Amino acid sequence: MKTLKGVCIGTGYFSHFQYEAWQRIKEVEIVAVCGTSIEKAQIICDKYGIKNAYDDYATMLKQENPDFVDIITPPNTHLEFCKIAIDYHIDIICQKPLAPTYEESLQIAKLVEASDVRMMVHENFRFQPWHQEIKKLLNAKIIGDKLHTINLRMRMGDGWQEDAYMNRQPYFREMKQLLIYETGVHYIDVFRFLGGEITKVFAKLKTLNSNIKGEDFAWVHFDFENEALGFLDANRFNENTSEDPRFTFGTVLIEGNKGSIRLYDDGKITIQPLGKKEIVHEYNYANINFAGDCVFTTQMYFIKHLLNNKPFSTDVSAYLKNIQIQDKIYESSALETPLSID
């Protein structure tokens, strides 16, 4: 296969998962990194064997002339960085959250639509191996042809401390919207991936840790177009009994008219047909990189679809619906009422 030349901007905590994964994709050579300083970019270059360090994004794109750019920066920078990449006709993979607001996200979508650039949102939760496997089981109608419920429970336990989030992502403390905006949007995408389109939400959000500004607790009820129901029970304050809460990021129970599928927090999947005992479903997954190596899988998907000129399941136009649902969750909680997704 053709080798694509890529560049990246971003040197923060999560970027290391992406740089490590790029090194294992034989169809890609990352040739440059841009950071807020040459020193920060050079640290990444030295660690991952990348040739060139920059502190100016436009200069990097102009001098390197890459096939694609990986934008691994905070959401308030994404509109500007996407504009510049589009001006240089460079394809884009961009971290979520896509932008601080729906309006900015829509601007990005319109810019892409009016250009010759292809863009994918780096939404990696749907690419976690357990979610991919569960999707295959649902498509095979293992628990029937009628979906009843999807119930997802998350307990991170990283947000109860007085200095919560300081060791990994300290900017979390100042975000006025936290759990749903930063993490919950992943689950919105997973619910849509597994259950289909969402038509209505009803949410209750709270801030349990008084040392942070945003919500760290969410109960969200979803109505699906196919008449199934979903429930997200997410909480970064309280703990679970998992050895690694960041492996699967939670447990899942899916029920249909012929049985149930369960995901446990160690990655185990079981199937329980109606009237029978629960049995373990064997599939391949590993504790590599981040959350079952989903970063590698996401980036590999991007490259294969880029090379084969196939549409992305998380292209910007498709991803806008996630942001609409996210905003309706905040509105529903504020108004204390269920809201339809327009």
Side-chain angles (χ1 to χ4, degrees), residues 58-323:
T59 300
M60 176 179 70
L61 297 187
K62 184 177 180 180
Q63 292 190 4
E64 298 292 342
N65 189 27
D67 295 299
F68 73 89
V69 59
D70 188 359
I71 298 173
I72 325 171
T73 57
N76 61 310
T77 66
H78 291 173
L79 176 57
E80 178 188 359
F81 289 160
C82 287
K83 277 182 179 178
I84 295 170
I86 289 167
D87 287 342
Y88 284 101
H89 306 279
I90 295 167
D91 294 322
I92 303 165
I93 180 169
C94 182
Q95 257 296 347
K96 47 64 56 192
L98 180 57
T101 65
Y102 178 79
E103 288 70 26
E104 278 194 34
S105 300
L106 186 58
Q107 278 185 267
I108 294 171
K110 288 181 176 180
L111 286 169
V112 171
E113 186 179 358
S115 75
D116 60 351
V117 165
R118 302 188 63 206
M119 179 173 171
M120 174 176 149
V121 180
H122 183 116
E123 176 51 76
N124 55 52
F125 270 41
R126 70 162 59 202
F127 290 103
Q128 291 174 3
W130 30 87
H131 294 147
Q132 290 286 312
E133 191 68 16
I134 289 170
K135 180 65 172 178
K136 291 177 185 176
L137 295 174
L138 291 173
N139 287 344
K141 304 189 187 308
I142 294 297
I143 57 169
D145 58 3
K146 184 172 178 58
L147 183 67
H148 290 169
T149 61
I150 302 177
N151 192 311
L152 196 155
R153 184 177 186 273
M154 182 198 85
R155 291 293 182 275
M156 292 299 295
D158 62 351
W160 58 268
Q161 305 88 342
E162 188 175 339
D163 64 346
Y165 314 115
M166 286 299 293
N167 65 332
R168 185 182 285 122
Q169 290 161 300
Y171 59 91
F172 278 11
R173 297 171 63 88
E174 301 301 316
M175 292 171 65
K176 293 180 181 179
Q177 295 181 333
L178 176 60
L179 179 58
I180 294 299
Y181 175 73
E182 207 289 326
T183 309
V185 71
H186 282 307
Y187 293 124
I188 293 169
D189 190 69
V190 168
F191 272 91
R192 289 182 66 206
F193 176 59
L194 297 178
E197 287 305 332
I198 293 167
T199 59
K200 186 181 289 187
V201 297
F202 185 28
K204 184 70 173 180
L205 311 179
K206 291 184 178 181
T207 302
L208 303 179
N209 187 337
S210 60
N211 296 296
I212 68 170
K213 293 183 178 178
E215 83 284 354
D216 51 11
F217 167 98
W219 277 359
V220 185
H221 177 277
F222 299 94
D223 283 15
F224 290 97
E225 197 171 58
N226 58 16
E227 299 184 348
L229 301 176
F231 188 68
L232 172 64
D233 174 7
N235 176 332
R236 295 197 77 132
F237 187 95
N238 290 104
E239 299 170 305
N240 66 19
T241 57
S242 171
E243 184 176 327
D244 180 7
R246 297 175 67 82
F247 187 47
T248 65
F249 281 81
T251 59
V252 181
L253 169 63
I254 300 179
E255 297 166 321
N257 61 322
K258 291 187 178 180
S260 305
I261 298 170
R262 291 176 176 85
L263 167 68
Y264 291 83
D265 51 26
D266 61 357
K268 180 176 72 175
I269 290 175
T270 66
I271 300 169
Q272 185 178 19
L274 289 179
K276 298 182 180 180
K277 291 184 177 180
E278 178 186 32
I279 56 173
V280 175
H281 172 72
E282 300 292 343
Y283 73 109
N284 293 321
Y285 64 99
N287 192 356
I288 301 171
N289 190 282
F290 174 77
D293 214 16
C294 65
V295 171
F296 173 86
T297 307
T298 304
Q299 293 173 184
M300 191 71 245
Y301 174 93
F302 170 71
I303 294 302
K304 285 186 175 180
H305 283 64
L306 204 59
L307 287 169
N308 296 323
N309 198 31
K310 291 183 178 180
F312 305 120
S313 60
T314 58
D315 69 17
V316 182
S317 59
Y319 202 76
L320 288 175
K321 187 68 174 288
N322 291 344
I323 302 168

